[in-house]
Amino acid sequence: MRVMGVDPGLTRCGIGVIDAERIHRPALVAVDVIETPSVSAVDTRLGGLADAFDRWLDAHRPDVVSIERVFARHNVSTIIGTAQASGLTMGLAARRGIPVAMHTPSEVKAAVTGSGRAGKAQVTNMVTRILRLDAPVKPADAADALALAICHLWRGAGAAGSTPGMTKDVDTRQGGGRQGSSLTPAQQQWAEALKSAGAPRRR
């Protein structure tokens, strides 16, 4: 099971990939932050983000993409940029037939730390521990992307035929007309492994 996490943002878009060949022992594959210059036109920035995201999809070929659900903030300009980046990455994944899952910040925090109100430092610390890294992941955008990937691994793909994070958030894909309640072959294998091992859906 390979999950790509995306912490959407127009100026800074965190992106991380994890593999989970062993139950509840995900491993880091790659992580980075895609940046676009704020002085450039929005269309140019979105084009640059699209090119970079496409390269990540080509290089890592995830089974699912986990993206933070956009929610209202006081800073309207920030939420607009976040929504643009979120929609862009969703569309690029969908174009390739890759399932997309949406998770709220509180869901991610709860899955990774056990508390939906955890701070960024707590999230970074737990991501570092879960992935058994020698040093904390920086910046926070990168750590958040990995947390999103871990969240989906533990919450969204915990049982065959039941993907809480995907049920309402995945559009119909190319060819098969499948919705979020269906699993890809890789997700099905992962879910069956969890079931056989008697592993819980959530940490």
Side-chain angles (χ1 to χ4, degrees):
M1 181 72 172
R2 173 165 288 190
V3 185
M4 176 179 288
V6 179
D7 181 33
L10 188 54
T11 300
R12 300 174 64 84
C13 181
I15 186 167
V17 181
I18 61 172
D19 269 346
E21 295 182 359
R22 298 179 60 188
I23 302 299
H24 289 303
R25 286 184 66 84
L28 174 66
V29 175
V31 64
D32 203 353
V33 174
I34 302 170
E35 299 185 44
T36 66
S38 59
V39 294
S40 298
V42 173
D43 57 342
T44 301
R45 299 174 70 187
L46 288 172
L49 177 58
D51 288 343
F53 190 65
D54 262 337
R55 288 194 294 271
W56 273 75
L57 292 176
D58 285 337
H60 301 293
R61 300 184 180 278
D63 296 303
V64 61
V65 176
S66 176
I67 304 175
E68 181 178 292
R69 183 187 295 278
V70 178
F71 65 98
R73 293 191 178 103
H74 296 298
N75 190 330
V76 177
S77 61
T78 299
I79 193 63
I80 289 176
T82 301
Q84 290 172 328
S86 177
L88 177 69
T89 52
M90 289 175 65
L92 291 173
R95 187 174 64 182
R96 296 166 181 253
I98 302 173
V100 173
M102 305 292 287
H103 297 284
T104 66
S106 59
E107 287 175 341
V108 175
K109 293 175 183 178
V112 174
T113 72
S115 171
R117 297 183 179 182
K120 286 189 175 295
Q122 289 175 281
V123 171
T124 297
N125 180 57
M126 286 306 299
V127 166
T128 303
R129 292 177 58 186
I130 292 167
L131 297 179
R132 304 176 303 283
L133 305 177
D134 294 330
V137 179
K138 296 180 180 181
D141 311 81
D144 288 346
L146 292 174
L148 277 152
I150 294 168
C151 173
H152 181 72
L153 189 66
W154 287 351
R155 291 176 63 99
S162 176
T163 52
M166 299 174 63
T167 304
K168 298 181 181 179
D169 300 303
V170 184
D171 295 330
T172 301
R173 303 299 172 203
Q174 302 170 353
R178 61 189 155 87
Q179 293 291 111
S181 57
S182 298
L183 303 182
T184 65
Q187 288 175 308
Q188 184 69 33
Q189 291 175 6
W190 172 252
E192 290 174 355
L194 282 173
K195 185 177 180 179
S196 298
R201 294 187 187 182
R202 298 178 59 181
R203 183 177 175 86

